[in-house]
Amino acid sequence: MHQPLSGLRVLTIEQDGAGPYGTQLLASLGADVIKIENPSTGGDSGRCAGPYFLGEYDSEFFQTFNRGKRSMALDLKDRGDRRIFERLLSTADACANNLRGDLPAELKVDYAHLGRIKPDIVCAHLSAYGREGERAHWPGYDYLMQAEAGLMAMTGEPDAPPTRFGMSMIDYMGGTMMALGLVSAVLGAKRSGRGCDVDVSLYDVALHQLSYPATWYLNEGKCAERQERSAHPSVAPSQLFRTADGWIFVMCQAPKFWGAFCQAIEREDLLSNPAYADMAARRMNRDKLQAELDAFLSTRTTAEWMTRLGGVAPAAPVHSMSAALGASQARSRIETVSHPDKPGGLKMVRDPVRINGQNAPTCRAPKLGEDTREILDEMLNDKPEDRAAE
């Protein structure tokens, strides 16, 4: 398989989910991602994230974010290990981390320090609040960003407490943004011969995810309010509706889909109702339309409605996790990765990027320090003149 990032080497000092998520995307596209892990502290803290463990210093949580990487055991505060790290750095294109904002300078993994060793190195930093300002030393996590950036206030039912997303989406978006910034900066460094610092903060990512409601507020002074049934703020019907056995999400985002929806459910009468004549009318009469569609859609099961709506009007069943992962559409997206401590292999969801119609080959995440000897041997056999000729 063609791997577009083959030949790219990234050293990473990372833990938990955000940073590892981003560098795993790079690994799945062919980059040689080497985790620098301190053996005296147990390496990446995600190795000890329960409740499902896979031998010593390994867990299903860790495996989720670190497939396809290599692990090298080094303590960057140890003088000898630091020399090894700096020798390894000379073979790398980038050094990534998701340390607290004040720590890259302290650990000397920013461009001010690493650029002296390798002028074209890219130093990518993913922190909670950035490396500058009064919050640089603050620890931070995804849920805190959802709270402070206003995302929790926008999520959930109107009469419910503020609600977080079901997953740590700010972590994942933060990792993705860091990966994009890193690859872009490496491309620039290849042209200019000079590297740089790339900074992404979870707080900035969370604010950025406010998206068009932020633009509306900044320009019109209008706060997006939570809508009943997770409805879209300006389009109707675009929300949850009851069925005989559960829920269905319908999204008539364009006039043609409103027509297709009404025809598919055999309710052409709705098309001639002045209360639903256009998008503005449907939005103004959202409550009335919800009550009418609820009563009608609850006469049949979700599966029956999906048989009519699938591929005709945008609609989706509301699945539990078991139903989602058991659906026929999902089965080809699940793979089994061999693991020494998991007889029969570890089932995982594939990375989403396909190149020329193929998913990237993958392997399990490494044990702590598993690749140290291999990488040291590579360094011993590596000749500077060979690298210069590449």
Side-chain angles (χ1 to χ4, degrees), residues 133-157:
E134 61 183 13
R135 290 193 179 187
H137 67 287
W138 283 28
Y141 293 93
D142 179 290
Y143 297 176
L144 304 179
M145 307 305 159
Q146 292 189 40
E148 188 170 6
L151 293 165
M152 287 179 66
M154 295 172 63
T155 308
E157 292 296 305

Side-chain angles (χ1 to χ4, degrees), residues 108-308:
K108 299 180 180 179
V109 292
D110 55 357
Y111 187 76
H113 293 92
L114 299 187
R116 300 170 191 166
I117 301 166
K118 192 171 192 291
D120 64 347
I121 195 73
V122 168
C123 300
H125 314 279
L126 175 59
S127 60
Y129 300 99
R131 293 185 301 128
E132 300 177 350
E134 61 183 13
R135 290 193 179 187
H137 67 287
W138 283 28
Y141 293 93
D142 179 290
Y143 297 176
L144 304 179
M145 307 305 159
Q146 292 189 40
E148 188 170 6
L151 293 165
M152 287 179 66
M154 295 172 63
T155 308
E157 292 296 305
D159 57 351
T163 305
R164 69 170 175 85
F165 303 154
M167 294 299 297
S168 300
M169 299 309 296
I170 302 304
D171 274 352
Y172 307 153
M173 280 300 302
T176 301
M177 292 285 194
M178 181 192 73
L180 174 61
L182 182 153
V183 170
S184 301
V186 168
L187 185 62
K190 295 294 184 186
R191 290 196 298 260
S192 69
R194 183 170 178 80
C196 63
D197 286 305
V198 173
D199 280 281
V200 175
S201 79
L202 296 181
Y203 180 72
D204 286 348
V205 169
L207 279 180
H208 188 257
Q209 295 311 297
L210 290 175
S211 190
Y212 60 88
T215 304
W216 290 349
Y217 174 75
L218 292 171
N219 292 279
E220 310 302 332
K222 176 65 176 177
C223 278
E225 299 175 350
R226 283 185 277 176
Q227 302 289 334
E228 187 178 355
R229 303 281 187 81
S230 298
H232 191 280
S234 60
V235 179
S238 184
Q239 63 176 83
L240 286 167
F241 292 101
R242 292 187 183 276
T243 65
D245 62 347
W247 298 90
I248 191 170
F249 209 113
V250 174
M251 297 190 72
C252 296
Q253 302 300 103
K256 67 176 182 179
F257 290 131
W258 168 240
F261 171 73
C262 292
Q263 291 171 3
I265 66 172
E266 298 180 355
R267 285 297 306 271
E268 288 89 343
D269 60 295
L270 296 174
L271 296 173
S272 59
N273 189 326
Y276 314 135
D278 55 27
M279 195 169 288
R282 291 192 294 277
R283 182 174 63 249
M284 186 177 300
N285 294 290
R286 187 197 302 269
D287 292 344
K288 179 182 178 182
L289 180 59
Q290 176 181 301
E292 188 159 1
L293 288 177
D294 253 0
F296 184 71
L297 294 176
S298 62
T299 62
R300 289 185 172 86
T301 67
T302 300
E304 288 176 302
W305 288 125
M306 285 305 302
T307 298
R308 296 187 180 206

Side-chain angles (χ1 to χ4, degrees), residues 28-41:
S28 72
L29 292 171
D32 179 19
V33 177
I34 301 175
K35 292 176 69 72
I36 305 300
E37 300 189 78
N38 187 345
S40 66
T41 60

